[in-house]
Amino acid sequence: MDRIDVTNPIVNFLFSLLEDVGKPKAEVAAKRVMERLSGVNIVPHFCRIEDKDLDFYNDFNIIVLGLDSVEARSYINAVACSFLEYDANDNPKEETIKPMVDGGTEGFKGHARVIIPGVTPCFECTIWLFPPQVKFPLCTLAETPRTAAHCIEYAHLIKWDEVHSGKTFDPDNPEHMQWVYTEAVKRAELFGIPGVTYSLTQGVVKNIIPAIASTNAIISAACALETLKIVSGCSKTLSNYMTYNGVEGVHIKVTEFVRDKDCLVCGPGVLIELDTSCTLQKFIDMVKEHPKLQLSKASVTYQGKNLYMQAPPVLEEMTRANLTESLFDLMRRVPSGTVHVTGTTSENGKKTSGVRKLRVAFKGVDGIADMDTAGGA
Amino acid sequence: MINLFKVKAKQRETAENVNGKAPVKKQTAGELRLHKDISELNLPKSCTISFPNGKDDLMNFEVTIRPDEGYYIGGTFLFSFQVPSVYPHEPPKVKCKTKVYHPNIDLEGNVCLNILREDWKPVLNINTVIYGLFHLFTQPNYEDPLNHDAAAVLRDNPKMFESNVRRAMAGGYVGQTFFPRCIS
């Protein structure tokens, strides 16, 4: 739900410096594209992606992502995967697949990928691809700043709390950003460090790397092409992850990543059929014996409700009473649903712990399947 | 190749079915990983955990540490944990809610612990963080200070540091700063 900043028109040809600064990006972009291309109909939504309900997303055939964070991608990925259903043989039901095309750029580097939930790896399957964000030690910021970024992070993380006790910093509020910038300049002067600017302040605080128009154009073209291929079926799609690097010359590579078969977000999970009378305790015992699971000391969670927790003692006590209840009742009498179980398995004498996804179906209960059969996320 | 028209038909069907049904609460991969961390917690006797928002909100919790050795023996220190939805890609945000005279914790409750920032790795978990915090009380470190004055005293005059800590924990002034009592 960004608004147009003075720096945006330089890298985005849809925005005009004279007219558009301060207006919602989505609305201006939609208007400009419709002006340029006749017959195109775009409905902009100026809001947070989390504000739309599942029905809104379910209404689309394909979702193309132009997002700027791991968090937002992870969210939409979970939404798209939540529509996915599997049949009894763990094959994805084609009619429940919601394809996604994702693109992103950082300076001269970018990527475009196609995610077909249940077929190609989802965002969560390969989340390990992302390097952790660079974070400076707090004590360095407080004691021995050496770079302009250190001074900015000091103002942002330490000085802000000291001065504005209790008030949370909002990176989208220009007054807040200006305050951090001013404080960072003072700090830099104190330590004789050059290079603190307002745009660097924005960059460090919001973790932004300057956008390059050519990279954006290449990546958005790749995304548009993949989308066209999926919609029209005119060609095979990218399989499944393209990286572009224009730092020195041009280097493009397509890598075929593989799915994580136990992915909690897009994986089928283990199908378990239960009698409606099965208690939670019996279910936990069963999970231990189940050949595909063999999870001992299982803790059970269903749609954000913790049905049983083995530890810590305070939670064990709060959930213990559920053990004698039937799982069917605890799941509010749905015919089927996704349950997550954590526990330990031992393989060749080595104990490992993990989270597993279970598709629980109750015998002899008719009705529509739980919407959350695949996603569970 | 996916047949999008088939997809569309199915969607209409589901849309009709879900009408009037309450939306399903999404559980993120981060929440599930946290669920695992919490269900496997193995805390020392001197640490307890509580969930102010009840058993179903694991993303926000509090940890109480009562050091059983070192300078801070007898004190009670409360930490708040806020776990982001992209956990464990990002570390939990930890603040010390008890005002403490400590070289690695400032008066705002910021904590300088490497695994909470620059050395965080997704293989680490809530248990490691709690042990790390516990370690700060048994081994305060003057080399990475957040509270510069406390660090200098610890380095130059450990006896005085000890008496400053006792004074702060009993409820009193160290220099110009007042510390509320945290000994029960």
Side-chain angles (χ1 to χ4, degrees):
Chain A
M1 81 173 237
D2 277 1
R3 288 176 186 276
I4 298 169
D5 186 83
V6 273
T7 61
N8 295 141
I10 302 162
V11 287
N12 195 320
F13 312 126
L14 294 172
F15 304 146
S16 141
L17 193 56
L18 293 172
E19 299 169 39
D20 297 337
V21 172
K23 291 183 188 166
K25 283 183 182 175
E27 290 171 11
V28 174
K31 188 172 146 242
R32 287 288 138 73
V33 174
M34 285 191 287
E35 279 166 7
R36 222 171 280 182
L37 298 166
S38 62
V40 174
N41 188 23
I42 300 172
V43 181
H45 297 269
F46 178 56
C47 62
R48 298 184 59 80
I49 51 171
E50 300 92 334
D51 292 344
K52 296 289 184 193
D53 55 19
L54 286 180
D55 286 350
F56 173 80
Y57 290 108
N58 202 17
D59 221 19
F60 295 96
N61 291 117
I62 178 167
I63 303 176
V64 184
L65 317 182
L67 299 170
D68 64 356
S69 69
V70 170
E71 203 168 355
R73 286 186 173 87
S74 177
Y75 179 84
I76 292 288
N77 179 68
V79 169
C81 291
S82 73
F83 303 123
L84 182 64
E85 290 172 25
Y86 285 90
D87 64 19
N89 300 319
D90 290 351
N91 293 316
K93 294 184 189 167
E94 197 178 83
E95 63 275 21
T96 64
I97 296 174
K98 184 86 63 196
M100 280 173 282
V101 176
D102 175 45
T105 70
E106 259 187 9
F108 287 99
K109 299 173 189 170
H111 81 268
R113 70 188 292 189
V114 174
I115 297 175
I116 300 173
V119 182
T120 71
C122 82
F123 186 73
E124 214 67 42
C125 289
T126 57
I127 197 161
W128 50 269
L129 281 170
F130 293 93
Q133 265 179 33
V134 177
K135 286 203 165 141
F136 309 116
L138 279 182
C139 36
T140 302
L141 305 181
E143 283 295 305
T144 50
R146 294 180 301 277
T147 66
H150 287 160
C151 299
I152 294 163
E153 282 291 68
Y154 172 81
H156 167 219
L157 296 171
I158 297 175
K159 193 78 184 177
W160 177 273
D161 282 347
E162 255 176 58
V163 177
H164 308 83
S165 66
K167 192 162 125 191
T168 46
F169 173 80
D170 174 10
D172 294 322
N173 182 331
E175 274 171 43
H176 289 194
M177 196 60 87
Q178 185 63 41
W179 188 91
V180 166
Y181 165 63
T182 316
E183 286 299 321
V185 168
K186 282 189 212 160
R187 181 127 180 115
E189 277 169 6
L190 188 67
F191 285 87
I193 296 167
V196 176
T197 61
Y198 187 75
S199 62
L200 182 69
T201 307
Q202 280 184 306
V204 170
V205 170
K206 297 174 91 171
N207 210 17
I208 297 170
I209 289 167
I212 304 292
S214 56
T215 316
N216 287 354
I218 290 164
I219 294 303
S220 52
C223 290
L225 182 61
E226 291 312 313
T227 307
L228 177 73
K229 286 196 246 173
I230 295 173
V231 173
S232 68
C234 67
S235 169
K236 248 185 86 177
T237 59
L238 178 77
S239 60
N240 43 42
Y241 200 126
M242 183 203 87
T243 49
Y244 162 82
N245 188 336
V247 176
E248 267 179 68
V250 172
H251 183 258
I252 292 180
K253 189 175 190 294
V254 175
T255 310
E256 185 166 359
F257 281 103
V258 292
R259 291 180 67 202
D260 173 0
K261 65 174 173 46
D262 294 325
C263 179
L264 295 174
V265 178
C266 76
V270 175
L271 181 63
I272 289 193
E273 282 194 309
L274 294 178
D275 289 318
T276 50
S277 62
C278 179
T279 62
L280 181 59
Q281 178 67 62
K282 255 173 93 183
F283 173 71
I284 289 172
D285 295 342
M286 190 176 182
V287 162
K288 192 176 170 183
E289 302 302 326
H290 194 285
K292 279 192 186 165
L293 295 165
Q294 298 192 324
L295 275 180
S296 53
K297 291 206 156 181
S299 298
V300 184
T301 177
Y302 172 65
Q303 287 186 0
K305 298 254 180 270
N306 291 314
L307 302 185
Y308 185 67
M309 294 290 283
Q310 297 277 352
V314 54
L315 289 181
E316 197 280 332
E317 229 167 83
M318 285 160 98
T319 53
R320 196 184 301 154
N322 283 344
L323 288 174
T324 51
E325 301 266 325
S326 78
L327 187 61
F328 186 55
D329 284 338
L330 290 170
M331 290 171 66
R332 294 182 292 272
R333 300 181 155 258
V334 291
S336 67
T338 301
V339 168
H340 289 93
V341 177
T342 66
T344 47
T345 45
S346 62
E347 229 173 289
N348 308 326
K350 217 179 117 195
K351 275 194 176 172
T352 50
S353 62
V355 190
R356 298 299 295 272
K357 177 165 150 182
L358 270 56
R359 278 186 288 155
V360 173
F362 292 101
K363 291 177 199 161
V365 185
D366 289 322
I368 49 156
D370 183 354
M371 276 290 286
D372 210 28
T373 38
Chain B
M1 197 67 64
I2 308 167
N3 182 342
L4 284 178
F5 293 103
K6 205 167 155 193
V7 176
K8 200 69 192 172
K10 169 70 186 181
Q11 278 160 6
R12 248 179 245 123
E13 186 187 308
T14 22
E16 278 155 24
N17 282 334
V18 295
N19 270 348
K21 207 175 129 186
V24 173
K25 188 190 173 280
K26 297 267 115 213
Q27 207 166 8
T28 65
E31 283 177 293
L32 293 169
R33 159 62 197 265
L34 182 67
H35 179 266
K36 169 169 127 53
D37 279 17
I38 298 286
S39 69
E40 290 169 352
L41 276 181
N42 187 5
L43 298 177
K45 277 202 184 74
S46 46
C47 300
T48 52
I49 187 168
S50 66
F51 298 86
N53 305 335
K55 70 176 177 64
D56 294 328
D57 182 3
L58 303 183
M59 306 295 268
N60 299 284
F61 57 89
E62 292 177 341
V63 170
T64 306
I65 299 181
R66 294 184 182 81
D68 50 10
E69 57 176 294
Y71 294 114
Y72 296 90
I73 188 166
T76 301
F77 303 96
L78 182 69
F79 290 86
S80 68
F81 279 62
Q82 236 186 312
V83 183
S85 66
V86 283
Y87 181 80
H89 188 68
E90 294 265 319
K93 289 197 172 74
V94 177
K95 285 260 184 181
C96 184
K97 307 305 267 187
T98 310
K99 200 166 176 185
V100 55
Y101 179 78
H102 192 293
N104 313 110
I105 302 174
D106 71 15
L107 301 175
E108 275 20 88
N110 292 310
V111 182
C112 189
L113 180 66
N114 64 336
I115 54 169
L116 283 177
R117 292 189 57 82
E118 71 276 16
D119 291 332
W120 170 257
K121 306 235 169 3
V123 293
L124 299 177
N125 57 38
I126 301 298
N127 223 42
T128 22
V129 171
I130 295 176
Y131 271 88
L133 294 174
F134 182 67
H135 185 72
L136 281 182
F137 288 101
T138 54
Q139 304 279 326
N141 170 11
Y142 58 77
E143 281 171 359
D144 297 321
L146 264 188
N147 180 335
H148 187 83
D149 297 338
V153 176
L154 174 62
R155 184 187 59 220
D156 301 332
N157 191 346
K159 274 267 177 295
M160 190 174 155
F161 179 77
E162 187 175 355
S163 87
N164 283 354
V165 170
R166 302 310 307 174
R167 189 161 356 119
M169 292 203 308
Y173 280 89
V174 178
Q176 299 293 309
T177 313
F178 179 75
F179 293 88
R181 185 181 172 85
C182 69
I183 297 177
S184 45

